[in-house]
Amino acid sequence: MEPFEDENVPLFTVGQVAEMLAVKQAFLRRVDELQVVSPQRSAGGQRRYTRVEIRIIRQVASMADEGITMTAIRRIIELEQQLADVARHRDELAVRLSEIASERDRLALQADALLRGVSRDRSDEE
């Protein structure tokens, strides 16, 4: 995958993100200070944002415009991430459960075939 295609590659500077989202650079620094979004740093120490982080910042800016405090926003973001993790884990477990059910069914068919074979062998002996 090309770096420009990967939405987790830190490509965008503070200035670029501020311009894209029509927010002040100070707002982005505040979001970082409060660890709502913690962008990576370039070799020169500049913040570099990913597309994923930009989407989160857009959400943060929207909530801030509604009067929600940064502390509350950070908690909301944390809870949304936890919920996404739980949903992902649930989906993984559902897949695993389906695999186990299929394996159980396969083994039940094998056991049934073996039991029929044993019954036939007993009938032949009598």
Side-chain angles (χ1 to χ4, degrees), residues 19-74:
E19 186 176 324
M20 276 188 259
L21 301 179
V23 298
K24 296 185 185 302
Q25 291 184 18
F27 175 79
L28 296 174
R29 287 190 291 275
R30 180 84 172 129
V31 167
D32 185 11
E33 288 167 8
L34 292 172
Q35 298 177 345
V36 176
V37 170
S38 299
Q40 294 182 26
R41 302 284 180 144
S42 69
Q46 292 184 326
R47 291 172 179 90
R48 297 286 181 191
Y49 295 88
T50 67
R51 286 192 197 113
V52 171
E53 291 167 334
I54 292 169
R55 279 197 301 274
I56 294 169
I57 293 167
R58 181 178 289 124
Q59 180 183 9
V60 169
S62 175
M63 286 189 274
D65 287 346
E66 294 174 15
I68 301 173
T69 67
M70 280 295 180
T71 304
I73 291 170
R74 182 179 59 212

Side-chain angles (χ1 to χ4, degrees), residues 98-114:
S98 176
E99 291 169 351
I100 290 170
S102 294
E103 180 67 7
R104 181 201 62 219
D105 293 345
R106 186 186 68 76
L107 291 172
L109 288 173
Q110 276 185 340
D112 190 45
L114 287 172

